[in-house]
Each structure stands twice: as structure tokens, then as C-alpha cells.
């Protein structure tokens, strides 16, 4: 089965679940809807300094699927650590805030001899964030981010680039969020001048959660440079086992290029499963 067919099957399942849950949500009372308390959101932004999660923090294991045969070299652990620290103690003009972001992504080939960590990507950044409220309802935020990404190596294995990114997330209703991110690249790495052809120029996506907040799904499309419909695709499913916990069973499907910096020119179709810890309100991508 090819990667595209697998992707279509996963997306079909998500859409069917979303459609069923949307119908269910329309007939339940508003008391069962997952409401986002505006005052609590404002307090979360105003209380400083504030330290928390930025993107999803996950630890997953999996292998190649589709046309590529699973092996020791393409079966690995992928994990991500991502945090955010608010730097401003008081609200800036236009009710904005400055944050320090840091994400780290690693690919760990645990089935090979000596279990090498084959690729380690560092992604620090600083962002200017503006939350939006409409009719006393929190509807999302926009962030202007100056960020750097590199793999910390030198010589032929060195990869690095800088981006000035504009990211936005909008809560359509308590069940659905749409998000997007576009960046102005500043490529300083000598060995990855063509990285936009593989790691993209912008991304769009949507996230869905059920009314009881137990099941969630998301799709992210990263547009590679060019006029063709060439996208890197990420599909994620998560299920919370215990209602009060912030830990989820997690499945991630990646199809495309640029999953890691070292082998950004290599095509990967991978499925992995494990555990994820999610930020409050919604995840960043």
C-alpha cells in the first residue's frame, strides 16, 4: 500500500469521526461543550513570568511504511521537547507579550549497534504574541517569531537556517482550531542552500477534538517551494486515557521530506506511536 493511500485512509477516518462528533455536539446542551473561560485565559497571559509547554512534547517509536521496507536504519524513536517562557512581566502595548521558545527534536536509532542518536535538531526563538478576544471570547492568537534551527554539527553534516515567522491559530468553535505559519528564510548553512525545496515555505493545518476532550486529531500540510502541489504531510491522532491527565496515547504519520535536518533531502513515509503531553488550549506546529 502506498503512502498516499494510507494518508487518504487516515484522513477519511478523521473526517468521519469529526462529522459524527459535530452532529453529536449540535444536539447536546451547551453545558456539555468544552468552554474556554475568557477570564482564566487572560489571567494565564497576565500572570508572569509564565513557564509552560510550547509545541507537543512526545516520545514515539515506529518504522517506515509504504514502498520502503522496514529495517534497523529506518525504524527509530523520535522525541520532541518544547517549552515557552514569558519574558515580559507586564502587558506590552496592544495587549501583547514576549516569549522565549525552545524546541528540540531527536531521532534515535535504538535497533542499531550502540543505539546512535542520528539527528538532533535545536530550534530556539523569541516571539511577540498577541491574543485575540471577540465578544469576551478567546478566539486565538498571532505570534511573530525570530527563530533559528540547526543540528549543531560542523563540516559536511552541518545544517542550519534562520526564519522570521508569522504564526496564527484561530479557534473556530470549541472543537475545531485552524492554524497557519509562513516564514521569511535566512539560510546561512553552506550545506542546505536548497532547504526550501524540501522543508517548505509555509504550512497550514487544522485540529479537532471531541466534546469530552478525550480524542483529538490534526492534519498539517507543509508546502515545499514550487508551483506543484508538493506538500509534506503530518497526520496525528491522540487519545487521553484518564480524564484528569494531560498525557495521551499518540500516533503520528509523516509523509514527505524535511522531517529532520540532517537528511532533509530524503523522502520518508513513517508511522510512529507512543505518548504525548500537550500544551494548554492548543498545540503549536
Amino acid at each position: 500500500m502506498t503512502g498516499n493511500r494510507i494518508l487518504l485512509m487516515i484522513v477519511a477516518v478523521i473526517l468521519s469521526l469529526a462529522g459524527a462528533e459535530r452532529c453529536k455536539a449540535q444536539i447536546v446542551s451547551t453545558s456539555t461543550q468544552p468552554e474556554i473561560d475568557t477570564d482564566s485565559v487572560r489571567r494565564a497571559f497576565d500572570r508572569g513570568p509564565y513557564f509552560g509547554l510550547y509545541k507537543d512534547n512526545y516520545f514515539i517509536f515506529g518504522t517506515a511504511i509504504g514502498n520502503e521496507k522496514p529495517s534497523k536504519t529506518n525504524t527509530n524513536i523520535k522525541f520532541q521537547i518544547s517549552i515557552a517562557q514569558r519574558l515580559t512581566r507586564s502587558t506590552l502595548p496592544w495587549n501583547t507579550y514576549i516569549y522565549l521558545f525552545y524546541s528540540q527534536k531527536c531521532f534515535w536509532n535504538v535497533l542499531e549497534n550502540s543505539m546512535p542518536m542520528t539527528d538532533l535538531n535545536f530550534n530556539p526563538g523569541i516571539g511577540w504574541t498577541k491574543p485575540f478576544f471577540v465578544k469576551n471570547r478567546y478566539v486565538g492568537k498571532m505570534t511573530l517569531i525570530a527563530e533559528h534551527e540547526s543540528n549543531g554539527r560542523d563540516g559536511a553534516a552541518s545544517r542550519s537556517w534562520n526564519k522570521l515567522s508569522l504564526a496564527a491559530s484561530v479557534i473556530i468553535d470549541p472543537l475545531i482550531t485552524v492554524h497557519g505559519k509562513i516564514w521569511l528564510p535566512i539560510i546561512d548553512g553552506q550545506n542546505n542552500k536548497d532547504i526550501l525545496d524540501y522543508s517548505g515555505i509555509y504550512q497550514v493545518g487544522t485540529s479537532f477534538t471531541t466534546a469530552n476532550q478525550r480524542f483529538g486529531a490534526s492534519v498539517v500540510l507543509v508546502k515545499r517551494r514550487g508551483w506543484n502541489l508538493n506538500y509534506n504531510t503530518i497526520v496525528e491522532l491522540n487519545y487521553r486515557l484518564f480524564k484528569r491527565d494531560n498525557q495521551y496515547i499518540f500516533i503520528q504519520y509523516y509523509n514527505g521530506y524535511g522531517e529532520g535536518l540532517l537528511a532533509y533531502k530524503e523522502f520518508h513515509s513513517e508511522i510512529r506511536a507512543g505518548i504525548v503531553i500537550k500544551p494548554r488550549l492548543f498545540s503549536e506546529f
Side-chain angles (χ1 to χ4, degrees), residues 78 99 109 165 180 194:
K78 177 184 178 184
Y99 283 85
N109 286 27
S165 306
D194 58 351

Side-chain angles (χ1 to χ4, degrees), residues 22 25 33-34 36 137 170-177 207-209:
R22 290 282 290 170
Q33 294 280 356
I36 300 176
R137 185 172 71 91
V170 179
I171 301 173
I172 301 301
D173 66 18
L175 304 182
I176 297 177
T177 299
S207 301
F208 162 78
T209 185

Side-chain angles (χ1 to χ4, degrees), residues 45-234:
F45 276 106
D46 291 337
R47 189 186 306 123
Y50 180 76
F51 177 82
L53 302 183
Y54 177 42
K55 301 178 182 179
D56 285 349
N57 286 249
Y58 56 76
F59 192 89
I60 52 179
F61 174 80
T63 189
I65 57 175
N67 296 328
E68 190 176 1
K69 184 178 179 180
S71 66
K72 291 183 179 180
T73 58
N74 60 27
T75 301
N76 57 24
I77 287 174
K78 177 184 178 184
F79 64 86
Q80 177 171 275
I81 299 169
S82 184
I83 56 176
Q85 170 68 50
R86 178 182 165 185
L87 298 181
T88 50
R89 184 172 294 274
S90 59
T91 306
L92 298 178
W94 307 295
N95 294 319
T96 58
Y97 307 84
I98 294 179
Y99 283 85
L100 184 66
F101 303 118
Y102 179 75
S103 300
Q104 185 171 306
K105 182 169 58 179
C106 180
F107 297 85
W108 185 10
N109 286 27
V110 293
L111 299 184
E112 295 188 46
N113 294 333
S114 78
M115 297 190 295
M117 292 190 177
T118 56
D119 195 12
L120 187 58
N121 300 168
F122 306 92
N123 182 207
I126 186 168
W128 184 36
T129 297
K130 165 66 177 177
F132 291 99
F133 299 87
V134 175
K135 295 182 179 180
N136 204 37
R137 185 172 71 91
Y138 178 61
V139 297
K141 65 180 180 179
M142 181 178 293
T143 304
L144 182 65
I145 314 167
E147 55 184 321
H148 171 78
E149 188 175 19
S150 66
N151 62 352
R153 298 194 184 188
D154 56 11
S158 175
R159 308 280 188 272
S160 68
W161 63 325
N162 302 292
K163 295 184 288 185
L164 184 62
S165 306
L166 183 64
S169 298
V170 179
I171 301 173
I172 301 301
D173 66 18
L175 304 182
I176 297 177
T177 299
V178 296
H179 51 85
K181 185 177 182 181
I182 188 170
W183 46 84
L184 176 66
I186 305 170
I187 303 172
D188 56 352
Q190 295 299 317
N191 301 311
N192 53 271
K193 294 293 186 181
D194 58 351
I195 194 169
L196 298 182
D197 296 335
Y198 300 91
S199 297
I201 54 178
Y202 70 84
Q203 67 183 44
V204 293
T206 184
S207 301
F208 162 78
T209 185
T210 55
N212 62 8
Q213 302 290 289
R214 298 295 291 271
F215 173 78
S218 68
V219 178
V220 180
L221 301 176
V222 182
K223 177 66 176 70
R224 302 195 294 271
R225 183 164 57 184
W227 295 105
N228 297 329
L229 295 178
N230 49 355
Y231 290 90
N232 302 326
T233 305
I234 307 167

